[in-house]
Amino acid sequence: MRRNKVDKSKILDSIFQPKSIAVVGASATPGKIGYTVVKNLIESKYEGKVYPINPSATEILGLKCYPSIEEVAGEIDAAVITTPAKTVLGITEQCGKKGVKGFIVITSGFGEVGDHELEEQIVETANRFGMRVLGPNIVGVLSNSGKMNASFAPFLPFNGKAALVSQSGALLIALDAASYTRGVGFDKLVSIGNMSDIDIADTIEWLNKDDQTFCISLYVEGFKNGRSFIDVCKKAQKPIIALKAGVSAHGAAAAASHTGSLAGAAKIYGSAFQQAGVVQATDLDNLFDRTLALSLQPSLRGEHLLIITNGGGVGVLATDAAERYGIPLTFAPEDVQAELKKHMPDFGSAKNPVDITGQAGTEWYVDAVRYAMAHPWVDGLVVLYCETAVSNPQEIAEGIHQAVLESGIKDKPITVSYVGGEKSDNAMKWLVEHGIPAYAAPDTAINAMAALREYARVQEMLNDKEVIYDGVDREKALKIIADARADGRDSLTEVEAKQVFAAYGLPITQNYLAKTEDQAVELAQKIGYPVVMKVVSPDILHKSDAGGVKVNVKDEQGVREAFKTIMANSKAYKANANIHGIVIQEMAPWGTEVILGSVNDATFGPTMMFGLGGIFVEVLKDVTFRVTPVSSNQATRMIGEIRGAPILAGARGEKPRDRDALAKTICQYSNMVLDLADEITESDANPVLVYENGQGLKVVDARIILKKK
Ligand code: ADP
Ligand code: MG
């Protein structure tokens, strides 16, 4: 709320490319952070004014030192704060009065050690003056293009086209150094710390407009607001890649229903990245390797990957890797093969991988790369090279680069792998400097290509059909919930939950509540035999466990018997259970059992779960999650990605199940829990019976747990 007072992105300029910087807590003592920051600004050749602030010094590292912010005559765009935590609030006020815009708080000792109040006061004060806060508890901000090392990290990173945003300060410093040895270049490094004000989403929003950033690389521990992250990423025009560490605290209340206990926070993050159009990395190496490719190359927009190699072994390794990373190879078409055959010895192979053999010199590489790059069948190219006695690694690197240029193709990606010694290493450096990502292992070059494919895929997924929800009766749902609350309950009975489901268009069984045996008989006749009978009690959530379910009840006598048995069982199960009656239901024909559910995640709000029912969910936990609302593309993907997917597709001679109806129901369900997010904390439909194609599905059991109010 408070953020609305401040024009966000403009002020972020003052953080990421300030025109002048005051270092509050600047020091003349080497080793102190206040000394290091001033030294770093000087050494990075920062071109704006630097004002060291310290009442007990007159000069620091040759710069005039000021006793306080007020004493500075000129404008101060950003202030970097390195003084102890207890001083920061006072300094915030001073900076505010001076008209500082970017407030970069390196100091730690706030929220991360439990002092949230002080942190909030600082943000409030800063925002009141129109300042934005980066941090606290950060290393600082580094920018090659801005010639600015406003941090206590030792030097600017290896120069390049990516921006790294890190929630861990120590890791940022380590990766800063590693950028040189790994040869992965960054224009900016941003340490984001406690995210008291400026969070990952704000930073991405700014970097998306930054013309020096071509790929946004994230080290994430957790978000405060997962939904704003998704929204910002969806709009971003450049690739974003995230490495997620740890598992967030799952904020949902104790798992009263099934979904709660199955909800894995890590799974939700993975899905959220996908839904946001964000590529994922598996570890730090992978983050570096993929960042390099994403910052230098266009996405891989089709399935046809061609590998060119001078060694059979690395070709096979790369082929295996391609399958492992989801971009399996296919044979090149005849015309491609015929042409490539002209540029290799007889014993070479023009299939895919294209093996131009160990005799290959620069010209063969040039010809093969130029031709392949330009051929419409080829969507992307991985070039492998094993160092040989008959070839020159550097010459080949230059040849590959030249061939790409000559092909005139700019919208297809290429990655390279050299296996060899020092000459190969140097040649790879040269390639990277010339915009071609090169890696020391074929596996890595393929993985980088897979990242470019993943980027294209997640972006395609964002172009979704709009789901139309007709006939939603929100008022009716709210009324049912309000009545249950008035009754002093925080859960709905199956009958009530189904009414809520029906109000959102979900296909439910016919249900009638019987209070007496005679009424039960009457209602069973109305529905038609066979029927299902179940206890309706807010005190019995798992009805079968209580002996409270009878299926396939065939006649009047059966109804009377079942009525008595269910009542007796339920009372035996819980002596003073409040029993509303017994529900008489149509007996749904057999279908494949699936479970739909929702749980409220602390970070992402209502999330949707889907899986196969029965032992698949109980034992195998074969379920998948999405942040709501679930788009139709995502719903289809959910159905396809569980291990049990072949069962729905029609395994072992079974007819395929109605997955279109199922996808629609997932969308409707997700819409329901999002729309009722203030009311519902957890819910499930377990089971839903799914029928053959065209026959739809039916919800036979329903459960809703309300938010405590
Ligand atoms: P529980 O509270 O034990 O989960 P359910 O309502 O899910 O109770 O009923 C238990 C099982 O009975 C279901 O898993 C399903 O196999 C079957 N069942 C319940 N209702 C129906 C129905 N209307 N038609 C067909 N089968 C049903
Ligand atoms: Mg059930």
Side-chain angles (χ1 to χ4, degrees), residues 28 39 91 101 129-130 236 252 268 292 386 403 460 467 469 475 511 513 577 597 629 631 645 653 663-664 672:
K39 181 169 152 277
I91 292 165
K101 294 187 204 77
F129 285 103
I268 292 174
L292 184 66
C386 288
E460 274 165 27
V467 186
Y469 303 104
E475 292 314 309
N511 305 279
L513 187 66
S631 67
K664 185 181 173 206
M672 170 184 76

Side-chain angles (χ1 to χ4, degrees), residues 468-484:
I468 312 287
Y469 303 104
D470 33 342
V472 170
D473 191 347
R474 185 166 197 261
E475 292 314 309
K476 186 176 168 199
L478 288 174
K479 170 88 170 58
I480 293 157
I481 290 167
D483 288 350

Side-chain angles (χ1 to χ4, degrees), residues 88-127:
V88 177
L89 186 57
I91 292 165
T92 314
E93 187 96 23
Q94 289 169 22
C95 287
K97 285 182 179 148
K98 172 70 187 162
V100 171
K101 294 187 204 77
F103 200 59
I104 302 170
V105 186
I106 288 179
T107 310
S108 36
F110 298 89
E112 80 279 11
V113 295
D115 199 345
H116 296 282
E117 208 185 314
L118 181 56
E119 196 172 296
E120 275 165 29
Q121 283 173 343
I122 290 166
V123 174
E124 249 162 56
T125 308
N127 287 176

Side-chain angles (χ1 to χ4, degrees), residues 494 498 509 532 534 540-545 549 551 585-589 593 686-687 689 700-703:
E494 178 189 331
K498 276 187 179 164
T509 50
V532 175
K534 301 181 203 172
I540 303 174
L541 276 181
H542 299 279
K543 301 173 292 286
S544 302
D545 293 354
V549 179
V551 297
Q585 263 168 31
E586 69 182 282
M587 168 97 184
E593 287 194 5
N686 180 23
L689 302 176
V700 303
D701 187 19
R703 187 163 14 240

